[in-house]
């Protein structure tokens, strides 16, 4: 029983990490309709930026996040403005461009760091709390809480702020939004910047947990795609809940079946969902065509 | 008349010397210098460059200077391409940090009729292929499996005061060919030694969560936890074990967790007492490996820091063995070098890291032995085999609780 509870807990905490990475990816996909292959590399950049802030400014990663978010936000806006916007009418080229960015960012970081694996040890990184017979990593709990705040906050912002409403309007019908006076290009830049900023936040929150290498982003992006597809294309809550579904599936399969097969299990579910319900469990029919739908 | 002959002879000898000096032995170093494994690829080739510089300072090989030419190969395909590209300008090839690259690059070298001298790649099947141009001076994965098992039967069991047959060992490994080959051999060797084995338990090195396998291991209550992986996944594994309160009496790690990258991740307090099966290190006893101190001094002088990883020392030694084989063969073409290398018979301890030379029928050096190190106060100290233990070095307690 303790084992089962431990596995469930591990799955939920892992799900928090997956959701954290997937929400930004889903936001970008939902609004701009670009599958951003470089989202994992944005997370990686966020991690390295956190390490730099920790090393040079002695900023704890949870404070460094306040620096990393605006940095990645501006970086994301620049990527949208100077790389993706010129390719706006060529969706396939946009996808290739994000893939090119993936390679570029990996190799730039590799050149700068020399490929050395980097870790930092913060007060949270080795801290655990006992919940009955179970041990819980504080850093993972913080990530779980943070993604919940992000999901709620994002949902609220999309519903109540003018910018959020503009984002929804552009996602629903770009041409109509433009006719209503919304600056579509600016909205795209803000959205991509926000999605990149969220990746930066994810990076900062995950830095106390992982050993960084220039390739670490690749470890996050595949599960994040599965989360987005499973949870629902373009759905904020879909990405949030999808993360937990994948996390729990992975933990249960890894413990009860075989650790080597756990990813195969959620990939099988991923394919099954694509075949049976292409919009995902919480998505809206046609989301892959029309983009973000905020769950009412 | 005699004077003229002498002068002509001297001039001819001078011309030959000049020609040789102007015609160095060029060796293509196939390693990843970009992509994830670049750090270790670079470090491996620095070993060749260091060996070449030292040998050049004492006159080179066959009177010719040695030049190391880098060929970047982050994938097997790039390995083949690098060999094709360099084949016209080099005399032989040396490598490799990754077995899959060595596999492809050595085939390409054979197509170009060039020697491929392997120093660091571990996969057993590299020599089992029987390629006529392929010679390995370093240990293979079976050697690593064997020494990691000795870390349990000869080191941990004694330290814990129990017989090997009374030990229960959890064996896990990352699931690429590297980890799988070693894990399989470990299980076989442990069973042969009468040890109770739980495993093998493969896992994906790319997984961002290892709690499941740690919980499985914890539930099995082993005395020894034996892990084979790469740096990042092993660090995550050790962190997860720490967070989950998994405290076997001994932890043995094969092929990683032996550099500052792991110390920075976990801290010296947690690592204290952990055993690592690894390439020989520069701290080995001079009577076991004569020249460790000189190597270390040369490395520090050349690169202004300590070696990043022990792969460098093995690469350095492997290059020295190659130079000796070329000198013995009087040529660099692979049939002659192979023939000469096959006659080499040097006991353990002939080279700086403790290697000797005796190739078997597959041209695998049977006298290339990894060692067991132990984390002690933030550094890895050689603790096995006994003759390799540095002066004043000793095993410290293994217990984690």
């Amino acid at each position: 029983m303790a084992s089962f509870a431990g596995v469930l807990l591990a799955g939920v905490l892992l799900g928090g990490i997956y959701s954290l990475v997937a929400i930004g990816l889903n936001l970008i996909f939902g609004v701009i309709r670009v599958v951003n292959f470089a989202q994992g590399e944005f997370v990686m950049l966020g991690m390295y930026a956190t390490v730099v802030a920790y090393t040079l400014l002695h900023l704890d990663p949870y404070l460094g996040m306040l620096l990393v978010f605006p940095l990645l936000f501006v970086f994301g806006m620049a990527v949208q403005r100077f790389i993706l916007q010129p390719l706006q009418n060529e969706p396939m080229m946009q996808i290739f461009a994000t893939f090119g960015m993936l390679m570029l960012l990996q190799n730039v970081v590799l050149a700068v760091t020399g490929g050395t694996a980097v870790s930092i040890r913060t007060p949270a990184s080795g801290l655990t709390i006992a919940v009955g017979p179970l041990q819980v990593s504080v850093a993972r709990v913080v990530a779980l809480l943070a993604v919940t705040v992000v999901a709620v906050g994002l949902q609220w912002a999309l519903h109540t702020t003018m910018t959020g409403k503009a984002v929804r309007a552009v996602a629903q019908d770009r041409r109509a939004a433009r006719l209503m006076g919304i600056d579509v290009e600016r909205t795209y830049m803000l959205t991509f910047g926000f999605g990149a900023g969220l990746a930066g936040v994810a990076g900062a929150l995950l830095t106390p947990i992982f050993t960084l290498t220039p390739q670490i982003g690749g470890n996050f992006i595949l599960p994040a795609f599965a989360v987005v597809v499973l949870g629902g294309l373009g759905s904020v809550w879909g990405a949030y809940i999808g993360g937990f579904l994948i996390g729990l599936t992975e933990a249960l399969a890894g413990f009860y079946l075989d650790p080597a097969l756990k990813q195969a299990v959620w990939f099988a579910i991923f394919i099954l969902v694509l075949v049976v319900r292409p919009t995902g469990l919480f998505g809206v029919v046609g989301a892959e065509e029309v983009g973000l739908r905020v769950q009412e | 008349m005699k004077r003229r002959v002498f002068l002509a002879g001297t001039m001819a000898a001078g011309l030959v010397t000049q020609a040789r000096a102007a015609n160095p032995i060029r060796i293509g170093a196939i390693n990843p210098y970009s992509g994830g494994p670049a750090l270790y690829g670079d470090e491996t080739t620095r070993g060749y460059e260091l060996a070449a510089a030292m040998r050049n300072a004492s006159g080179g090989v066959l009177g010719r200077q040695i030049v190391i030419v880098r060929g970047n190969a982050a994938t097997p395909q790039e390995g083949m391409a690098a060999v094709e590209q360099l084949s016209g300008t080099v005399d032989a090839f040396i490598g490799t940090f990754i077995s899959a690259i060595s596999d492809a690059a050595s085939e390409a070298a054979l197509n170009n009729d060039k020697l491929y001298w392997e120093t660091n790649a571990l996969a057993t099947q590299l020599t089992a292929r029987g390629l006529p141009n392929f010679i390995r001076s370093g240990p293979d994965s079976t050697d690593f499996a064997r020494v990691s098992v000795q870390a349990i039967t000869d080191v941990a069991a004694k330290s814990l005061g129990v017989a090997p047959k009374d030990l229960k060992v959890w064996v896990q490994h990352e699931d690429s060919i590297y980890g799988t080959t070693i894990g399989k051999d470990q299980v076989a060797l442990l069973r042969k030694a009468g040890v109770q084995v739980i495993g093998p338990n493969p896992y994906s090195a790319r997984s961002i969560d290892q709690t499941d396998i740690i919980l499985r291991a914890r539930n099995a209550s082993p005395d020894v936890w034996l892990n084979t992986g790469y740096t990042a996944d092993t660090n995550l594994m050790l962190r997860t074990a720490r967070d989950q309160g998994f405290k076997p009496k001994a932890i043995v790690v094969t092929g990683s967790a032996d550099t500052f990258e792991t110390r920075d991740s976990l801290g010296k307090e947690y690592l204290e007492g952990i055993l690592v099966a690894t390439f020989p290190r520069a701290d080995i006893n001079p009577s076991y490996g004569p020249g460790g101190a000189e190597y270390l001094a040369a490395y520090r002088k050349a690169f202004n820091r300590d070696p990043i990883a022990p792969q460098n020392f093995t690469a350095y030694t492997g290059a020295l063995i190659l130079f000796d084989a070329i000198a013995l063969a009087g040529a660099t073409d692979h049939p002659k070098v192979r023939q000469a290398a096959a006659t080499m018979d040097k006991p353990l301890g002939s080279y700086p890291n403790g290697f000797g030379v005796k190739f078997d029928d597959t041209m695998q050096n049977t006298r290339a032995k990894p060692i067991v190190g132990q984390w002690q106060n933030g550094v890895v100290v050689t603790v096995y085999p006994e003759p390799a233990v540095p002066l004043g070095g000793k095993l410290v307690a293994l217990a984690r609780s």
Side-chain angles (χ1 to χ4, degrees):
Chain A
M1 192 60 199
S3 290
F4 181 67
V7 175
L8 283 186
L9 188 59
V12 170
L13 294 174
L14 176 61
I17 293 173
Y18 285 154
S19 300
L20 197 57
V21 178
I23 281 184
L25 182 71
N26 214 6
L27 181 69
I28 290 171
F29 173 80
V31 178
I32 308 173
R33 295 164 216 178
V34 169
V35 178
N36 180 21
F37 278 97
Q39 190 76 2
E41 273 50 49
F42 290 177
V43 176
M44 178 268 290
L45 283 184
M47 293 174 114
Y48 276 97
T50 306
V51 169
V52 171
Y54 179 81
T55 310
L56 299 182
L57 306 173
H58 307 292
L59 272 182
D60 187 272
Y62 300 138
L63 287 175
M65 195 163 63
L66 302 174
L67 196 66
V68 171
F69 176 79
L71 273 176
L72 266 291
F73 179 78
V74 172
F75 179 70
M77 289 214 303
V79 167
Q80 169 61 28
R81 172 64 188 86
F82 297 109
I83 297 175
L84 297 180
Q85 193 171 303
L87 301 170
Q88 194 165 308
N89 296 320
E90 297 175 79
M92 286 305 288
M93 290 299 114
Q94 285 185 322
I95 292 173
F96 289 139
T98 65
F99 191 77
M101 214 155 40
L102 176 158
M103 302 302 292
L104 177 72
L105 293 175
Q106 257 190 30
N107 282 286
V108 166
V109 174
L110 180 70
V112 173
T113 64
T116 309
V118 180
S119 306
I120 57 171
R121 280 180 295 134
T122 67
S125 59
L127 199 62
T128 56
I129 45 174
V131 182
L134 310 174
Q135 291 291 323
V136 185
S137 158
V138 169
R140 286 174 187 251
V141 172
V142 171
L144 176 65
L145 294 175
V147 71
T148 307
V149 170
V150 165
V152 171
L154 188 59
Q155 185 79 348
W156 173 83
L158 288 170
H159 268 287
T160 54
T161 65
M162 281 306 289
T163 307
K165 287 174 182 171
V167 167
R168 286 166 57 204
V170 170
Q172 285 169 10
D173 193 321
R174 187 169 72 183
R175 194 175 296 171
R178 199 187 294 279
L179 288 171
M180 293 299 110
I182 294 171
D183 185 340
V184 173
E185 280 67 35
R186 181 174 167 276
T187 307
Y188 276 3
M189 277 171 60
L190 286 174
T191 306
F192 202 94
F194 201 77
L198 286 179
V201 168
L205 289 163
L206 300 179
T207 302
I209 303 172
F210 295 103
T211 294
L212 280 61
T213 64
Q215 289 74 38
I216 194 167
N219 296 356
F220 296 115
I221 198 66
L222 270 181
F225 279 133
V227 166
V228 167
V229 169
L230 183 64
L233 295 163
S235 160
V236 173
W237 289 116
Y240 180 74
I241 295 167
F244 294 111
L245 291 176
I246 293 287
L248 282 166
T249 304
E250 182 171 327
L252 289 167
F255 186 78
Y256 290 107
L257 192 60
D258 188 340
L261 288 177
K262 60 187 181 185
Q263 291 180 328
V265 171
W266 58 248
F267 264 117
I269 294 174
F270 168 84
I271 291 166
L272 192 69
V273 169
L274 273 180
V275 173
V276 177
R277 191 175 160 84
T279 55
L281 299 177
F282 301 93
V284 176
V285 174
E288 66 275 23
E289 293 297 328
V290 298
L292 181 70
R293 285 286 186 273
V294 180
Q295 299 297 294
E296 300 299 338
Chain B
M1 184 62 189
K2 279 183 181 176
R3 194 176 170 187
R4 281 181 187 170
V5 170
F6 175 75
L7 280 173
T10 307
M11 284 172 68
L15 285 172
V16 168
T17 306
Q18 277 181 3
R20 282 185 161 177
N23 179 29
I25 296 174
R26 292 168 61 85
I27 298 174
I30 305 299
N31 265 314
Y33 308 117
S34 63
L39 179 72
Y40 289 89
D42 243 340
E43 187 70 346
T44 303
T45 294
R46 284 190 203 109
Y48 309 145
E49 290 166 346
L50 200 59
M54 289 179 84
R55 194 53 63 93
N56 285 341
S58 57
V61 177
L62 304 176
R64 297 162 67 184
Q65 294 287 288
I66 300 154
V67 175
I68 303 293
V69 184
R70 289 183 172 220
N72 182 26
T75 63
Q77 291 78 8
E78 288 176 18
M80 294 169 76
V83 166
E84 294 295 341
Q85 190 185 16
L86 292 179
S87 274
T89 58
V90 301
D91 300 286
F93 289 98
I94 193 169
T96 321
F97 171 60
I98 294 176
S99 295
I101 297 172
S102 175
D103 191 11
S106 53
E107 288 263 8
L110 179 62
N111 291 340
N112 287 279
D113 208 23
K114 301 283 183 190
L115 171 72
Y116 199 95
W117 188 272
E118 183 53 66
T119 61
N120 285 60
L122 297 180
T124 314
Q125 53 267 42
L126 289 174
T127 42
R129 296 173 303 171
L131 287 191
N133 67 327
F134 190 84
I135 302 172
R136 175 157 51 194
S137 61
D140 65 9
S141 58
T142 306
D143 292 315
F144 264 81
R146 189 177 296 115
V147 83
S148 64
V149 167
Q150 286 166 340
I152 294 167
T153 56
D154 295 9
V155 181
K158 279 182 189 165
S159 175
L160 297 170
V162 295
K165 68 178 177 54
D166 295 326
L167 285 175
K168 191 157 77 168
V169 180
W170 173 272
V171 181
Q172 66 179 51
H173 60 81
E174 64 81 34
D175 60 4
S176 78
I177 189 167
Y178 155 69
T180 304
T181 314
I182 293 179
K184 211 170 149 186
D185 285 344
Q186 284 170 331
V187 168
L189 290 165
L190 282 167
R191 289 204 171 120
K192 198 174 168 189
V195 176
Q196 303 162 54
V197 182
I198 315 161
N201 298 282
Y203 68 88
S204 167
R206 291 178 64 84
S207 173
I208 66 165
D209 185 61
Q210 309 289 10
T211 310
D212 45 16
I213 194 166
I214 291 298
L215 290 177
R216 282 166 76 112
R218 197 181 65 180
N219 280 4
S221 303
D223 300 299
V224 182
W225 175 34
L226 176 57
N227 182 78
T228 302
Y230 298 107
T231 300
D233 56 290
T234 301
N235 288 357
L236 180 61
M237 197 66 81
L238 290 169
R239 279 184 171 201
T240 309
R242 179 193 60 192
D243 293 349
Q244 291 298 327
F246 175 41
K247 293 177 182 174
K249 290 174 187 160
I251 298 176
V252 181
V253 182
T254 312
S256 64
D258 54 354
T259 67
F260 68 94
E261 294 167 303
T262 299
R263 186 189 57 211
D264 290 351
S265 173
L266 286 126
K268 64 180 185 179
E269 294 81 11
Y270 179 78
L271 292 174
E272 187 71 8
I274 289 179
L275 297 170
V276 288
T278 177
F279 285 112
R281 312 178 71 84
D283 75 328
I284 55 171
N285 194 306
S287 65
Y288 179 84
E294 290 79 0
Y295 151 78
L296 192 58
Y299 185 100
R300 284 172 174 159
K301 191 177 172 190
F303 306 111
N304 207 23
R305 56 171 162 72
D306 279 345
I308 292 170
Q311 277 82 353
N312 179 274
F313 197 17
T314 291
Y316 165 82
T317 302
L320 291 180
I321 300 173
L322 167 64
F323 302 155
D324 287 351
I326 291 174
L328 194 62
T332 56
D333 47 316
H334 68 85
K336 285 182 181 166
V337 174
R338 185 184 177 99
Q339 199 176 10
T343 66
M344 291 173 83
D345 187 358
K346 298 195 176 190
L348 285 170
S350 298
Y351 284 92
N353 69 349
F355 286 4
V357 180
K358 182 68 184 169
F359 290 100
D360 65 13
D361 293 343
T362 66
M363 296 313 283
Q364 166 63 44
N365 185 5
T366 57
R367 293 176 184 161
K369 304 292 182 192
I371 58 99
V372 178
Q374 185 184 36
W375 279 101
Q376 298 180 6
N377 199 26
V379 294
V380 175
V381 176
T382 303
V383 293
Y384 184 87
E386 210 165 302
V389 178
L391 297 171
K394 61 176 183 180
L395 189 75
V396 299
L398 306 173
R400 305 208 59 74
S401 53

